[in-house]
Structure formats: structure tokens, C-alpha cells
Amino acid sequence: MSITSITAQQRLDSRGKPTVQVQLTTPHGTFRAIVPSGASKGDYEAVELRDGDKSAFEGNGVLEACRSVTDVLGPKIIEAGLDPSKDLKKIDQLMIDTDGTPDKSKLGANAILGISMAAARAGAAARGMPLYQYLADESGTPSKDFVLPVPFMNVLNGGDHSGNPMAFQEFMIAPTHATSFAQAVQWNAETYSALKTLIQSKHGKGAIGLGDEGGFAPPIQHPHEALDLLMEAIKIAGHEGKIKIGIDPASQSFFTDGKYNMGFKTNAPDMLDAAQLGDLYRELLEKYPIVLLEDPFGQDDWSAFTEFNKDCTIELVGDDLLATNVDRVKIGEEKKACNSMLLKINQIGTITEAIGAGNEAFSAGWSVFVSHRSGETTDDFIADLTVGMRTGHLKSGAPARGERVAKYNRLMDIEDELAAKGLTFRYAGEGFRDAHKDV
Ligand code: 2PG
Ligand code: MG
């Protein structure tokens, strides 16, 4: 089954910034993918190619990346006669080789990833199977029974994703005690709604504006205030004890001169060293039902990670630290820096490499947490990837805004489809960290 055309177009992401859309045509149809983009980006991510021409989109255009697809990579893949139904790894490798740089900076990770995603969709269609099944096969994950993930929904936004003074970027709710994915979504949506009423009553109607990932961004600064709000909202919604909490401080965003500035969005610096920040986390863990902590320290602060991981009983996720890069995951293993890898497909730029990094993490006994980006699109690829790789949890922002709910809605479709087909599946629930283990 051969590819007949691969083209790319400039489209918009959820922040109104240009991004790459790829359309790949085979005898089975035309398959589309749109690439996401981060704000709190780490230095170890693959490079998103931007035009830099200040006269358009403040230099953020991606026409050059689109040309990488249409003029360079597309013709090469077609000429090589590669077949997406069985050659995804070869397609990705050909793109890596054609680019030739370690960070995909020549042709752009945004160009390369768009093709990789569209090719996976085309391959699934050619094989007459859903994308999650194709990705299960591609990642070598047994799929005799599927696991639906716990949705960690970011309902309070801070950091680089909002205009409030809060340094920590994300406060997520995780309905670990639900019995199905659909029920998990319902509980989170109910809590989100209760949170809105609560914020309005405490801070006024002007405080219910949203951050980039659809969470509220009230005028609060300290993590205690955020967590108290969440606890109260969970209680009002009637889900006390059944919804746990995850935090992504995205601490690289407020790391300067060897210290963490908790006041980085205000005029009053509040500098903590890694040990003091560690103590703050331990205090929060003691007081609130937190089950997951992501990027508590900066992307190069390996020693702080390792120290914190020594007696850490919850999931400790490396995002900017690992950058979905197999080499950094191996360093993390060696240093015992964390126990989970955040998986963002555009951090590395091909589906094959993202799966490879995830499988490396699994082989070390870690968990894998699939993630959207703060600049998203309605493309729901990561929903299928989460089920295919059996990661047991994902984050895709709040239960609001089209680009966020696209993933949750797709997961509810998958849950319904598995039930209709009479296949065995379950909701990951409390065992979300170990979903991949008990195959
Ligand atoms: C993160 C992400 C996604 P961004 O830090 O985990 O929530 O943010 O896409 O801005 O890097
Ligand atoms: Mg993060």
C-alpha cells in the first residue's frame, strides 16, 4: 500500500499561533495530523522550526516547516515506496536521517512529527484497525485486554500558562476511585463546575477567567491556597476521598541563578533553594492527597531529583528533565532521579522515538504519563497512544475547551467501542502507575 501524496499547511493552535498540519494520502483515504506546541519548553526538546519573519505572526510562522514536508520529506518517503501499514519505524528513521541533526533543527520536529502521526493513522486504516490497536502493535504492548487511563485534569492554571501570580503551573484532579473512564470524566467535570462557583464566591466574577489549558486562574499565589480550593471543590461536588491530586510546578520556569523564585510573576522575589523547595513539597504531600508530582526541580537539577526520589512514595515524573528522549531516560535511571516519564510526542518529534523512550521507562519499572501541550489542537492522537501503550493515565488539561476535551471525548468513544465489540478492558483506577505491568 503506497503513499500517493504528503502535503503540509499552516494552521492555528489553541493559543492562536501557527502550527503544522500534514495531509497524507493513500488508496485508503487522506489522513490528517496537526502538531501541538509547548510554552514551558525545556532546552532538551527537539526543535520546532519557526520562520522568524517578524512581518508575519511575530516571527512564529511555520511555512518553512511546511516546505520541509511538501518539498523534502514527502517526496523522499514516497520515492522510497514505504508502506505505513508496516513501515512506520522506517518512515521515521528516514526522516531522522534526512534531517541529520540531533535535535531535528534542520527540517523541524514540527514537520517530522506531523508526517509520523499522519502515517500511523494511514497505517491503521490500511490494516482496518483502530489507531490504538495499531499503536499497541507498534509498541509491542499486548492488547488482549485494554486499560482506559485515569484522566489527570488540570483545573487550576499558573506558571507560564496564566496571568495570575501563582508560580506552580498545574494543579490536576485524578478520579482514581471511579469505575469507568466515563464516570471519571463526569466526576472531574462536576468538580470543575463546583470550583468555578467557589472561585466566583471567594474572588468575584472577574476571577473565573481561564489559563491556556482551560483551568481557572484565580488571583492566588501560594500552593496551599490552590490545594485548599481544590479540596473544597471536590467536597462540594460529592467526591471527597475519591479524587486525588497531581501537581506540575514546571519548576524550570522559575529557576534562576541556582534558586527557585516562587514570586517570579510578581514584583516580590521569593527565592528557595532546592532543599527548601523539597521541604515545601514534603509538607504538601503530608497534608493533601497528592499522588503525582512532575518536574519539582529544574531540567538540570539531577541531584535535587535524586535526593527527593530517595524516600518518595508517590509518582515522581520527569518532563523537562527527560524530554521524551531515550538517552535522558537512561541517565535518569542511572541517577535514580525519578520513577516516571512524561511522554510528549513533540518533545522528540517521531512516534517511533516517543514509543522507544516510553518502553525504556517501562523496562526500568517506571510508569509513563502521556501529555498534551499547552498550545494544542483538536487532534486526538494522544488518546489512542495512551490506550495503545497502556500507560494508565494521561493529562490533557481541563474538562473544558475543544482542544482539551477532544482527547477525553475520544477516550470515551474508545471505551464505548471496546464494550460494543465485547473486548475485555478496564479503567486503570488506583493502579494507574502499574497499568503496564499487569499484562
Ligand atoms: C507541561 C506542559 C503540558 P507546556 O509542562 O507539562 O501541560 O506544558 O506544553 O507548556 O510545556
Ligand atoms: Mg510539565
Side-chain angles (χ1 to χ4, degrees):
M1 195 237 5
S2 53
I3 299 169
T4 52
S5 102
I6 304 179
T7 62
Q9 304 78 33
Q10 179 167 271
R11 297 293 182 256
L12 290 184
D13 73 15
S14 58
R15 270 193 285 253
K17 271 172 70 175
T19 190
V20 176
Q21 169 178 276
V22 168
Q23 298 198 74
L24 186 152
T25 303
T26 72
H28 293 272
T30 294
F31 303 90
R32 188 181 285 177
I34 318 185
V35 173
S37 171
S40 62
K41 279 187 279 191
D43 291 342
Y44 301 103
E45 300 197 16
V47 173
E48 221 173 53
L49 205 61
R50 299 261 174 209
D51 297 339
D53 166 11
K54 294 280 181 224
S55 69
F57 294 106
E58 298 161 305
N60 287 312
V62 292
L63 295 174
E64 189 61 41
C66 289
R67 281 191 288 273
S68 296
V69 172
T70 309
D71 300 346
V72 184
L73 296 166
K76 259 215 139 113
I77 293 166
I78 294 170
E79 193 189 295
L82 294 171
D83 174 353
S85 70
K86 57 178 176 61
D87 293 334
L88 184 64
K89 291 183 183 69
K90 286 186 190 158
I91 291 171
D92 286 348
Q93 193 57 51
L94 181 63
M95 293 196 284
I96 293 165
D97 295 343
T98 306
D99 175 83
T101 66
D103 55 5
K104 303 184 177 66
S105 52
K106 185 165 169 229
L107 297 172
N110 41 355
I112 292 171
L113 179 64
I115 295 180
S116 188
M117 294 162 76
R121 287 207 164 101
R127 282 164 56 185
M129 56 172 57
L131 182 59
Y132 57 85
Q133 176 68 66
Y134 175 93
L135 293 169
D137 293 352
E138 202 51 45
S139 59
T141 309
S143 54
K144 65 174 168 40
D145 36 37
F146 290 94
V147 176
L148 270 300
V150 173
F152 279 66
M153 296 199 192
N154 178 11
V155 293
L156 278 176
N157 292 189
D160 283 343
H161 294 170
S162 73
N164 65 356
M166 189 159 73
F168 283 13
Q169 184 177 279
E170 302 170 22
F171 288 86
M172 297 170 268
I173 48 175
T176 49
H177 287 56
T179 52
S180 68
F181 184 78
Q183 186 180 53
V185 168
Q186 184 186 327
W187 289 5
N188 272 354
E190 288 165 355
T191 305
Y192 181 74
S193 177
L195 185 61
K196 181 177 182 177
T197 313
L198 193 61
I199 291 172
Q200 197 167 315
S201 72
K202 284 189 197 277
H203 301 279
K205 228 184 171 36
I208 53 166
L210 304 181
D212 287 354
E213 299 190 349
F216 299 106
I220 55 174
Q221 186 173 347
H222 200 278
H224 279 295
E225 296 173 89
L227 289 159
D228 287 340
L229 269 179
L230 279 194
M231 294 307 290
E232 204 175 332
I234 291 169
K235 191 171 174 187
I236 293 169
H239 303 307
E240 209 178 3
K242 298 182 287 185
I243 293 183
K244 306 289 183 192
I245 292 173
I247 306 179
D248 178 9
S251 60
Q252 182 62 34
S253 325
F254 50 96
F255 183 71
T256 16
D257 299 331
K259 295 229 166 142
Y260 295 90
N261 183 2
M262 295 287 288
F264 87 108
K265 290 164 79 183
T266 70
N267 293 325
D270 177 11
M271 310 302 277
L272 299 182
D273 62 25
Q276 290 167 317
L277 187 59
D279 287 343
L280 169 63
Y281 294 133
R282 274 186 278 270
E283 210 180 282
L284 299 177
L285 294 188
E286 187 103 329
K287 185 158 178 222
Y288 302 96
I290 297 164
V291 293
L292 179 153
L293 181 59
E294 176 183 328
D295 273 4
F297 305 103
Q299 65 191 4
D300 293 307
D301 206 346
W302 292 103
S303 57
F305 264 96
T306 302
E307 185 56 33
F308 192 80
N309 195 28
K310 274 182 189 153
D311 55 2
C312 182
T313 53
I314 63 158
E315 180 170 334
L316 185 59
V317 188
D319 171 11
D320 293 346
L321 182 79
L322 306 173
T324 318
N325 182 319
V326 74
D327 296 328
R328 292 189 67 85
V329 173
K330 285 179 182 161
I331 299 172
E333 286 168 21
E334 206 179 283
K335 292 184 184 292
K336 296 190 174 28
C338 53
N339 57 40
S340 178
M341 182 196 92
L342 197 77
L343 191 159
K344 286 170 167 166
I345 50 180
N346 79 324
Q347 266 181 336
I348 190 68
T350 64
I351 298 305
T352 302
E353 289 167 290
I355 288 174
N359 279 344
E360 176 61 36
F362 282 139
S363 72
W366 291 6
S367 45
V368 171
F369 185 32
V370 174
S371 172
H372 65 155
R373 296 309 304 248
S374 51
E376 261 295 334
T377 76
T378 48
D379 192 301
D380 54 12
F381 192 96
I382 60 167
D384 286 71
L385 185 64
T386 300
V387 174
M389 288 185 74
R390 225 179 204 274
T391 66
H393 54 330
L394 95 162
K395 63 169 183 173
S396 171
R401 296 182 36 151
E403 77 281 4
R404 310 296 150 191
V405 301
K407 285 71 165 174
Y408 301 132
N409 285 340
R410 169 67 186 149
L411 283 159
M412 287 191 278
D413 286 347
I414 294 175
E415 190 168 60
D416 287 350
E417 181 178 303
L418 292 169
K421 283 182 176 166
L423 293 169
T424 338
F425 65 96
R426 64 182 177 83
Y427 174 63
E430 282 186 282
F432 65 89
R433 289 174 69 178
D434 296 328
H436 194 85
K437 285 181 191 155
D438 81 70
V439 178

